[in-house]
């Protein structure tokens, strides 16, 4: 198959994280490269000295908070270290997690697998805005609950996400107690001991069936009852460190529960697995996932034929997410030459770094994403960051992008703007964009013009 440079440029923006210098000159059809990445089944794991397992991080946070409390009360005999104190653990961990993601994004061949990770991490949102425990564990949640399953089965990712400590904390399931459980019936129970429906509601509305998936309030309550008892270890023991996921039998609502017309016997933790397996295989879940997947990669209002095809694949392949990704690549609608999607702030920042071959600085990147309104793992609500142009193409958002593009132009002022346009846009660069580059007053301005060109802002 002859290599079409326009198709290559389109694919690296639409499915990947943007072209790097030399990427558009590859002699292999981009479809083959993308398919090979999926079929390899490899999802890179972030690495770094400050990246640890969630229970380790939560235990270290607990120890740090206790030490600070003792120091404030004057009860600590520990010597006072010289010099400024190190940043608190939540900030150190969050910065390390961001740095590791940026390094993976910069090194990725096309970035398609990384984009899949970003999509699923946003689908199963947890937010660092909920406090220190989420700030240390949100990155670990992506590493532990999302990445291992991005090219695997949806049902496995669903169970891993629903029972991960970060999700249990984020949606308040750690304090959810079955009304008729021993803990719920115990005298002198605290005011927080009751049934919490947050996780049950979001599992149905956001993670599986969708808002129009046919469930009722009774189903929300039923799933919340099934989820009771799923909590965290408070103290270290043979079962794990403080912060490990545990199933507290004494807090679990006893008895069978009927959810979406099916009855699940009280068989302990297996009750949740059976319920989530059925939700993962539900036709409404297939429709919901297919729509979100197509909307993310192709268009805010995706072609119905594409959504239907993705939904059929999801059902026929038993939620195999690698097959879902391959179906996207094999669908003609996904290759529409019109660039209909506006790059999100994260996509824009990473594409700029890749195109300019700039080594990502975590602090600068964090500040830039904060100004653009999309820090890593900080969505304002459980439905995640929006996936439509209206959320990112506002006058304020475009002004923030212009500021970032101008700073990038200054950092890479030695880069020839025309060469940059050839490297990251190639045949996608319009005559208007190339005319503007010729009229640029400086290289820095020319670079900013490339980054703000409609062909770069859209994918």
């Amino acid at each position: 198959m002859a290599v079409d440079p326009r198709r290559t440029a389109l694919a690296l923006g639409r499915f990947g994280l943007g072209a790097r210098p030399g990427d558009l000159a590859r002699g292999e059809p981009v479809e083959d490269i993308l398919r090979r990445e999926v079929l390899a089944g490899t999802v890179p794991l972030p690495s770094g000295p400050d990246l640890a397992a969630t229970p380790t991080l939560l235990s270290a946070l607990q120890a740090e908070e206790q030490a600070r409390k003792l120091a404030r009360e004057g009860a600590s005999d520990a010597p006072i270290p010289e010099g400024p104190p190190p940043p608190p653990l939540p900030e150190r961990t969050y910065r390390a997690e961001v740095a590791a993601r940026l390094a993976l994004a910069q090194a990725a061949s096309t970035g398609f697998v990384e984009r899949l990770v970003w999509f699923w991490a946003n689908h199963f949102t947890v937010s660092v805005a909920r406090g220190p425990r989420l700030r240390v564990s949100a990155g670990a949640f992506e590493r532990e609950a999302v990445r291992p399953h991005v090219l695997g089965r949806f049902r496995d990712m669903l169970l891993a996400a629903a029972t991960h400590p970060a999700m249990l904390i984020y949606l308040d399931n750690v304090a959810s107690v079955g009304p008729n459980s021993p803990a719920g019936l115990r005298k002198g129970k605290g005011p927080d001991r009751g049934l919490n429906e947050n996780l049950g509601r979001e599992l149905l509305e956001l993670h599986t069936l969708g808002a129009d998936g046919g469930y009722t309030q009774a189903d929300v309550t039923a799933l919340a009852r099934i989820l009771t008892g799923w909590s965290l270890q408070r103290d270290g023991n043979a079962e794990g460190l403080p912060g490990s996921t545990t199933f507290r039998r004494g807090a679990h609502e006893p008895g069978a529960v009927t959810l979406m017309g099916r009855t699940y016997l009280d068989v302990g933790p297996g009750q949740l697995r059976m319920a989530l397996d059925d939700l993962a295989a539900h036709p409404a879940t297939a429709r919901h996932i297919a729509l979100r997947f197509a909307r993310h990669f192709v268009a805010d209002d995706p072609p119905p034929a594409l959504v239907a095809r993705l939904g059929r694949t999801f059902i026929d392949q038993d939620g195999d997410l690698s097959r879902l990704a391959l179906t996207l690549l094999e669908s003609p609608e996904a290759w529409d030459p019109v660039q209909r999607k506006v790059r999100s702030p994260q996509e824009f920042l990473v594409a700029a770094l890749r195109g300019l071959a700039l080594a990502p600085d975590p602090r600068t990147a964090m500040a830039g994403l904060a100004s653009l309104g999309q820090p890593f793992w900080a969505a304002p609500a459980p439905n995640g960051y929006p996936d439509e142009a209206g959320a990112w193409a506002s006058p304020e958002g475009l002004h923030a992008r212009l500021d970032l593009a101008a700073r990038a132009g200054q950092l890479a002022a030695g880069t020839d703007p025309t060469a940059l346009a050839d490297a990251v846009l190639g045949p996608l660069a319009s005559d208007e964009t190339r005319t503007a580059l010729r009229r640029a007053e400086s290289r820095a301005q020319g670079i900013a013009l490339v980054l703000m060109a409609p062909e770069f802002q859209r994918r």
Side-chain angles (χ1 to χ4, degrees), residues 178-263:
N180 299 300
S181 68
L185 296 172
R186 192 175 300 135
K187 292 182 180 179
K189 60 188 178 184
D192 61 332
R193 287 188 174 274
L195 186 68
N196 190 295
E197 297 183 347
N198 289 353
L199 180 54
R201 178 177 295 104
E202 306 308 356
L203 279 169
L204 294 173
E205 179 180 339
L206 301 177
H207 302 156
T208 58
L209 307 177
D212 58 352
Y215 68 90
T216 66
Q217 174 57 38
D219 293 312
V220 172
T221 302
L223 185 51
R225 289 175 181 270
I226 292 173
L227 285 159
T228 52
W230 286 93
S231 187
L232 306 184
Q233 290 283 355
R234 294 193 182 95
D235 303 303
N237 55 31
E239 296 181 17
L241 291 168
S244 301
T245 296
T246 188
F247 179 75
R248 300 184 188 280
R249 190 67 168 126
H252 181 67
E253 179 70 3
V257 177
T258 299
L259 169 68
M260 297 294 292
R262 294 192 177 187
T263 299

Side-chain angles (χ1 to χ4, degrees), residues 371-372 391-403 452 457:
S371 69
L372 294 172
W392 307 123
S394 67
E396 297 81 5
L398 292 175
H399 187 271
R401 292 185 187 224
L402 180 58
D403 287 343
M452 290 305 296
Q457 288 296 318

Side-chain angles (χ1 to χ4, degrees), residues 71-91:
R72 288 194 302 268
E73 295 173 351
S76 175
D77 295 329
I80 300 175
E82 297 181 0
L89 178 67
E91 190 56 36

Side-chain angles (χ1 to χ4, degrees), residues 46-124:
S47 61
D50 292 319
L51 274 57
T54 296
T56 300
L57 292 167
L58 291 175
S59 297
L61 175 64
Q62 181 179 343
E64 182 178 89
E65 290 176 340
Q66 289 174 344
R68 290 179 184 274
K69 180 180 178 182
L70 290 173
R72 288 194 302 268
E73 295 173 351
S76 175
D77 295 329
I80 300 175
E82 297 181 0
L89 178 67
E91 190 56 36
R92 297 199 310 273
T93 303
Y94 179 71
R95 188 183 304 160
E97 297 279 11
V98 171
R101 296 321 179 283
L102 292 173
L104 285 180
Q106 184 74 306
S109 174
T110 67
F112 185 36
V113 173
E114 283 300 296
R115 282 280 303 284
L116 293 172
V117 171
W118 290 12
F119 170 80
W120 289 112
N122 192 56
H123 183 80
F124 292 104

Side-chain angles (χ1 to χ4, degrees), residues 120-131:
W120 289 112
N122 192 56
H123 183 80
F124 292 104
T125 286
V126 297
S127 177
V128 300
R130 282 294 302 273

Side-chain angles (χ1 to χ4, degrees), residues 111-179:
F112 185 36
V113 173
E114 283 300 296
R115 282 280 303 284
L116 293 172
V117 171
W118 290 12
F119 170 80
W120 289 112
N122 192 56
H123 183 80
F124 292 104
T125 286
V126 297
S127 177
V128 300
R130 282 294 302 273
R133 290 194 297 173
L134 269 301
R135 199 160 181 85
V136 300
S137 63
F141 170 82
E142 182 201 283
R143 288 189 278 114
E144 297 162 353
V146 176
R147 283 183 180 269
H149 308 292
V150 159
L151 297 176
R153 302 283 179 184
F154 176 74
R155 63 170 178 264
D156 296 329
M157 187 191 294
L158 177 63
L159 179 66
T163 60
H164 191 276
M167 186 67 77
L168 296 174
I169 294 168
Y170 179 54
L171 292 176
D172 306 306
N173 208 75
V174 291
S176 186
V177 175

Side-chain angles (χ1 to χ4, degrees), residues 3 12 17 94 140 149 177 184 238 290 351 370 381 399 412 433-434 459:
V3 176
L12 291 178
L17 289 170
Y94 179 71
H149 308 292
V177 175
H399 187 271
T433 293
R434 293 192 179 278
R459 55 171 178 79

